[in-house]
Amino acid sequence: MAEQPILPIKGKRNTLVTSALPYVNNVPHLGNIVGSVLSADVYARFSRLRDRPTLYVCGTDEYGTATETKALEEGVTPKELCDKYYALHAEIYKWFEIGFDIFGRTTTSQQTEIAQDIFLKLDKNGYLEEKTTTQPYCEQHASFLADRFVEGECPRCGYHDARGDQCDKCGHLLDPFDLINPRCKIDGATPVPRDTKHIHLLLDKLQPAVEEWSSRSSEEGAWSRNGRIITESWLKEGLKDRGITRDLKWGTPVPLPGYENKVLYVWFDACIGYVSITANYTKDWEKWWRHPEDVKLYQFLGKDNVPFHTVIFPGSQIGTGDEWTMLNHLSTTEYLNYESGKFSKSRGIGVFGNSARDTGVPPSVWRYFLLSSRPETADTQFEWRSFIAKNNSELLANLGNFVNRLIKFVNAKYESTVPADYAEHITDPAFDGFRQEVDALLKAYVDDLEAVHLRSGLEKAMALSSRGNLFLQENKLDNSLLATQPARAAAVVGLGLNLIYLLASLIQPYMPSISTSITTQLAAPLLSIPDVWTPTALAPGHAIGKAVYLFTRIDEKKEAEWRDMFGGTQAERKQKDDDAAKEAAKKAAKKAKKKDKKGKPTSSAAAAAEGLSAETAPLKEEAAVEKGLGQLNVAD
């Protein structure tokens, strides 16, 4: 039987969560992951554990110039490229334990239908206008060129491979007509300027409505500070009309006569993907997107994506005249930098989602580090030394120690059973202060998560674990206490186990597999996150499971190894791997030649037997060795 879709329930606090749709043409790095999908996952998991109907929607953003460019580079069609990278993104997020309710795509019939409907309503309501612009045109293959499809010499620094939108060497933004000796990226021909017609969205006409909405929403929804500042800056400068169509083939078709060879511009199209992906999830998508009185929308993204979510998409929603669920809370991050530099997808600098697995470190540790270093109000750094220290000094020494120490004690001294009489002893006034401290930290945790202060919430959860360790030390839980004060020992064990049970719920949004390990060891189901701690949630006499280590120590020597492994760019790392493979192939070939001299058939003889020339045989041997090492050839 098919699983029933999650839908809003009248009278409940229904929560719709989205994370910025990752662009499909590359592999996400750690900064991308913590800035959107991981942060949204934490909040969605928290919302579910507060017993709220919650839907978490994400997917790949697949249309646009960048996809066409990347497909051209890889020698595949845009569809083939999107299929490849969609699978890669989905695999990475699955490894990071991101709990989407749906991870979809923007290249669907629902996207076309909904985007075209919004476009036509904007047109009907007078918010679209046709304008003539001048664009580069390639006479060689009879097509207008997007800025990225024009290359040439940068007029500022002289770099020979500058793109028509930006120079990768000096970083300056460019116009394709600024380039010296411009050439078409596809065939090398010199482009010429030619007029073309495009549809513009009249954001200036929509500004009063957008301004009124954003002022109210940012206050009611308590937007992140940088989200407010960026939005206010755009509005203060004054919104301008912007072209929302492009001379491309890969995109949502423009539903107007005379525009058969044009598509909707991706920055207009992309945010509509949240709606269309929901429509792919359930035919009742309008219950999420057309009922603002019943649904609160939480959106998670990096600061570079703010205007699309606070100006352009809301402006488009308002311009249709329809009723829409609109942004309530905006959670934006600053940048996560890599070892005092910046992550860069284009240059391959930093740790990327698919290479995090290569360290052998479990996803929970990665999630913990990223969320404890989440750049909420300022840029933060990813550093290998800090990564190792957080695992060893915080996860292992604090949370891991508390859970393992107490469950092992119960396994050994109470025959894996919660003390039968603990509940009658925990009312001792000596424990009142401890219980009050737990409730205070629990309240602070809930307040932080409700306000989407994710890093601070994690600190509160770890503070509760620290308090648990201290509680065991204060009460000197050992064989002596068990022998001389069995009632007190039972109370300490009972309170400690129930604090561990509470922690299983509090850390679930951050480290879901660690939470599962704890509930498995306690042989108890995951509980909802409460407002007040119930120190008797585990019943007296309840049988628990065996203790299992939650974390393992990371050798400090790994710092240098990993820094070397992930140093430089992806291209440099690939070159290093290729060089190592070639060196291994040479050694294998030399070894094979030595065997030949000892009386085995020579390469020439073996080649003759296969109908190959002597010159070809060594190449075939090297290819076989490389294949055995798992290296990819150019065709791969």
Side-chain angles (χ1 to χ4, degrees):
M1 184 177 175
E3 191 174 328
Q4 291 297 309
I6 301 163
L7 294 175
I9 299 172
K10 200 78 175 173
K12 290 266 192 177
R13 184 172 166 179
N14 302 294
T15 305
L16 178 58
V17 178
T18 72
S19 56
L21 305 183
Y23 205 73
V24 78
N25 70 330
N26 217 323
V27 181
H29 58 63
L30 298 184
N32 303 135
I33 291 168
V34 71
S36 54
V37 294
L38 179 55
S39 296
D41 184 51
V42 172
Y43 187 77
R45 289 176 181 274
F46 167 75
S47 182
R48 294 182 193 115
L49 285 173
R50 294 289 282 175
D51 300 322
R52 297 166 188 160
T54 302
L55 185 69
Y56 179 16
V57 174
C58 190
T60 43
D61 178 10
E62 301 190 356
Y63 283 137
T65 306
T67 301
E68 286 195 359
T69 306
K70 186 72 172 179
L72 188 67
E73 290 173 1
E74 297 196 10
V76 297
T77 66
K79 174 68 165 61
E80 289 170 336
L81 182 96
C82 290
D83 289 345
K84 168 188 170 181
Y85 280 97
Y86 172 80
L88 194 150
H89 276 264
E91 181 186 359
I92 288 169
Y93 302 137
K94 181 179 180 181
W95 186 82
F96 271 95
E97 301 178 353
I98 307 298
F100 305 115
D101 292 301
I102 178 172
F103 184 70
R105 314 174 66 165
T106 56
T107 49
T108 64
S109 59
Q110 286 90 342
Q111 175 76 6
T112 300
E113 180 182 339
I114 295 169
Q116 288 184 344
D117 179 64
I118 291 172
F119 178 93
L120 290 171
K121 285 175 178 173
L122 287 167
D123 188 34
K124 178 184 175 184
N125 294 338
Y127 293 113
L128 301 184
E129 186 176 298
E130 184 179 78
K131 295 194 175 187
T132 299
T133 59
T134 302
Q135 283 185 228
Y137 184 84
C138 180
E139 295 177 320
Q140 183 77 21
H141 72 277
S143 177
F144 283 99
L145 298 174
D147 294 350
R148 290 188 178 206
F149 278 87
V150 183
E151 296 179 335
E153 184 180 328
C154 175
R156 290 176 173 268
C157 71
Y159 180 56
H160 287 285
D161 289 319
R163 299 192 314 262
D165 59 347
Q166 188 173 18
C167 174
D168 280 340
K169 186 173 183 181
C170 68
H172 280 97
L173 299 178
L174 299 171
D175 184 282
F177 298 116
D178 294 337
L179 295 174
I180 300 167
N181 298 321
R183 61 187 181 274
C184 171
K185 184 181 178 71
I186 297 172
D187 52 34
T190 301
V192 297
R194 183 174 290 191
D195 287 347
T196 180
K197 291 181 178 179
H198 282 293
I199 301 298
H200 283 231
L201 175 62
L202 303 180
L203 287 170
D204 50 342
K205 195 173 177 180
L206 284 161
Q207 173 151 354
V210 171
E211 210 155 8
E212 188 276 329
W213 165 80
S214 68
S215 176
R216 183 180 68 256
S217 179
S218 62
E219 189 66 32
E220 292 176 357
W223 293 7
S224 298
R225 182 174 177 272
N226 57 0
R228 289 191 189 202
I229 291 171
I230 292 168
T231 305
E232 288 167 3
S233 174
W234 269 56
L235 293 170
K236 186 177 180 180
E237 187 179 325
L239 300 183
K240 302 172 180 64
D241 63 271
R242 286 178 168 255
I244 60 170
T245 60
R246 281 293 183 268
D247 291 291
L248 296 171
K249 296 181 177 66
W250 186 244
T252 301
V254 179
L256 290 178
Y259 281 77
E260 290 78 9
N261 294 321
K262 301 178 193 287
V263 299
L264 297 180
Y265 193 15
V266 67
W267 64 253
F268 171 78
D269 200 43
C271 286
I272 298 170
Y274 300 126
V275 185
S276 71
I277 290 169
T278 309
N280 271 277
Y281 170 74
T282 173
K283 63 181 177 58
D284 295 319
W285 63 271
E286 291 185 331
K287 290 184 178 180
W288 283 109
W289 284 100
R290 300 285 198 188
H291 292 271
E293 71 283 358
D294 293 333
V295 177
K296 295 294 184 185
L297 173 59
Y298 285 69
Q299 297 197 287
F300 292 79
L301 46 134
K303 65 181 179 181
D304 51 339
N305 270 322
V306 166
F308 306 108
H309 293 75
T310 64
V311 176
I312 294 164
F313 183 49
S316 299
Q317 290 178 301
I318 292 167
T320 64
D322 292 338
E323 191 164 46
W324 285 98
T325 299
M326 296 180 69
L327 171 63
N328 174 57
H329 179 82
L330 176 72
S331 180
T332 52
T333 55
E334 300 291 336
Y335 294 128
L336 175 71
N337 295 320
Y338 177 75
E339 293 281 353
S340 301
K342 287 191 178 294
F343 281 90
S344 171
K345 280 193 284 192
S346 61
R347 292 187 292 155
I349 294 175
V351 181
F352 288 71
N354 55 346
S355 55
R357 289 173 297 186
D358 298 340
T359 61
V361 177
S364 288
V365 178
W366 284 101
R367 287 176 64 111
Y368 178 80
F369 176 84
L370 291 172
L371 291 161
S372 64
S373 308
R374 185 174 185 255
E376 294 183 350
T377 56
D379 292 355
T380 57
Q381 294 284 340
F382 175 90
E383 293 178 335
W384 287 110
R385 180 176 299 176
S386 175
F387 177 74
I388 294 169
K390 280 185 177 292
N391 177 82
N392 294 346
S393 303
E394 297 176 19
L395 290 176
L396 182 62
N398 179 359
L399 180 60
N401 178 66
F402 175 45
V403 174
N404 191 256
R405 174 185 177 186
L406 187 54
I407 293 180
K408 264 188 173 179
F409 188 83
V410 176
N411 289 159
K413 307 301 179 182
Y414 288 90
E415 297 182 340
S416 300
T417 303
V418 178
D421 58 346
Y422 87 90
E424 59 194 77
H425 301 303
I426 63 173
T427 55
D428 186 324
F431 299 123
D432 287 351
F434 171 68
R435 293 172 63 171
Q436 289 165 7
E437 285 181 62
V438 171
D439 275 332
L441 281 169
L442 172 59
K443 182 182 185 305
Y445 168 93
V446 171
D447 288 346
D448 278 337
L449 269 290
E450 293 289 9
V452 199
H453 297 155
L454 307 184
R455 190 171 70 185
S456 182
L458 181 55
E459 290 169 359
K460 303 301 188 302
M462 294 300 287
L464 272 168
S465 176
S466 295
R467 188 63 188 90
N469 273 311
L470 181 61
F471 178 69
L472 299 185
Q473 292 166 18
E474 288 171 341
N475 287 279
K476 298 181 174 59
L477 179 64
D478 57 15
N479 292 336
S480 175
L481 184 71
L482 183 62
T484 59
Q485 300 181 65
R488 186 175 185 83
V492 171
V493 167
L495 286 169
L497 285 175
N498 276 289
L499 180 56
I500 290 173
Y501 197 16
L502 173 66
L503 278 167
S505 296
L506 302 190
I507 67 166
Q508 198 272 350
Y510 297 95
M511 296 178 283
S513 63
I514 297 300
S515 171
T516 299
S517 178
I518 292 173
T519 54
T520 300
Q521 291 177 59
L522 293 176
L526 186 69
L527 296 179
S528 299
I529 294 174
D531 290 316
V532 177
W533 181 39
T534 303
T536 54
L538 286 173
H542 171 76
I544 68 169
K546 296 298 181 184
V548 176
Y549 290 115
L550 296 178
F551 307 101
T552 56
R553 184 173 184 79
I554 298 176
D555 191 332
E556 281 81 1
K557 293 176 183 176
K558 284 288 185 180
E559 179 188 350
E561 178 186 326
W562 286 333
R563 186 177 286 115
D564 180 63
M565 182 189 298
F566 295 100
T569 67
Q570 280 184 326
E572 290 168 343
R573 292 196 293 272
K574 184 179 185 303
Q575 185 62 52
K576 187 187 291 185
D577 290 342
D578 289 346
D579 290 344
K582 286 177 183 176
E583 187 62 31
K586 285 180 184 177
K587 287 181 181 178
K590 283 181 182 179
K591 192 174 182 180
K593 285 180 181 178
K594 285 181 180 179
K595 286 185 179 179
D596 289 342
K597 289 179 181 179
K598 291 180 181 178
K600 292 195 174 184
T602 64
S603 294
S604 299
E610 291 189 27
L612 300 172
S613 69
E615 289 81 5
T616 309
L619 294 176
K620 189 180 179 192
E621 289 177 38
E622 287 192 25
V625 172
E626 289 197 24
K627 185 176 180 183
L629 290 170
Q631 298 300 313
L632 299 177
N633 60 33
V634 175
D636 291 325

